[in-house]
Amino acid sequence: MDVEFANPSMESVILSEESVPRRTLRKRVTTSKGSSLRFKPASVSAITARHGTTSEDNLKKKAYKQAFLQSAARAQSERETRVREVKKRALAITSTGKTPATSRQRLVMQMVYDEITPYPDEAWVSQLGVIINREYHQVKNWFSNQRQKDARDSRQHTPQPATPASLEASLCKITCDGRDLRLRTAALNSCRAEDWSDTFFDEVVMIYNFRLLAKHSQEEAMAALVESEPDVAIPL
């Protein structure tokens, strides 16, 4: 059905009103398509890939940490077993309880006291006892008596006597095979703190003890030679 307008201008007004939304919509669409964004949103696949990588990294870190803790626990367990075995050997050394230490045994213990530590722990006391063939408690008591002796000597020679606290203050704390130790400065001057271990201590004491044994054997051989042939000149 055709509608006639009495006023021709009314028709143009209606037509213009009907065409406005279309033109506006077309302009909005064109504007949206023609606009340029400085930051484009990442695609879903890219976001998923990034999250996947982060998740994999976290799993790797967790696995590495768990493996490290297991390795540390296993090493600590092995060390404790080794210490118990060495201490058992040191406790089994025959002793009457009042047997005086030999010259060699005293020299080795004095070297440890003066140059390494006056506070050897259970492991080092056990190792020292096995090396010099002296019972565990005898070695432990010797170090305790030596610390008391040094304290008495300090009281006699200084107006302000040295105390256990002052002795400890002169030592350096390190971590050795998972536990804390207090070493002399001389020990750290000859070997870095991180290089000290039960194995290294064992080697140091064994080498020193071996040198004393070799020297003692040489002196005995010289003495035997002098007794058998008094006129033979002994090389110095």
Side-chain angles (χ1 to χ4, degrees), residues 3 15-16 22 24 42 53 57 78 108 113 115 131 136 145 158 160 171 177 179-180 188 200 205 209 218 234:
V3 179
L15 291 175
S16 63
R22 295 190 182 92
T24 304
T53 303
D57 292 342
E78 293 175 354
V108 175
Y113 185 93
E115 300 184 22
I131 293 172
Y136 174 86
N145 295 335
T158 58
Q160 294 182 351
L171 304 176
D177 290 340
R179 88 278 195 193
D180 294 333
L188 298 179
F200 184 73
V205 176
N209 183 64
Q218 185 179 11
I234 303 298

Side-chain angles (χ1 to χ4, degrees), residues 41-53:
S43 62
V44 176
S45 60
I47 296 174
T48 305
R50 286 201 299 269
H51 282 289
T53 303

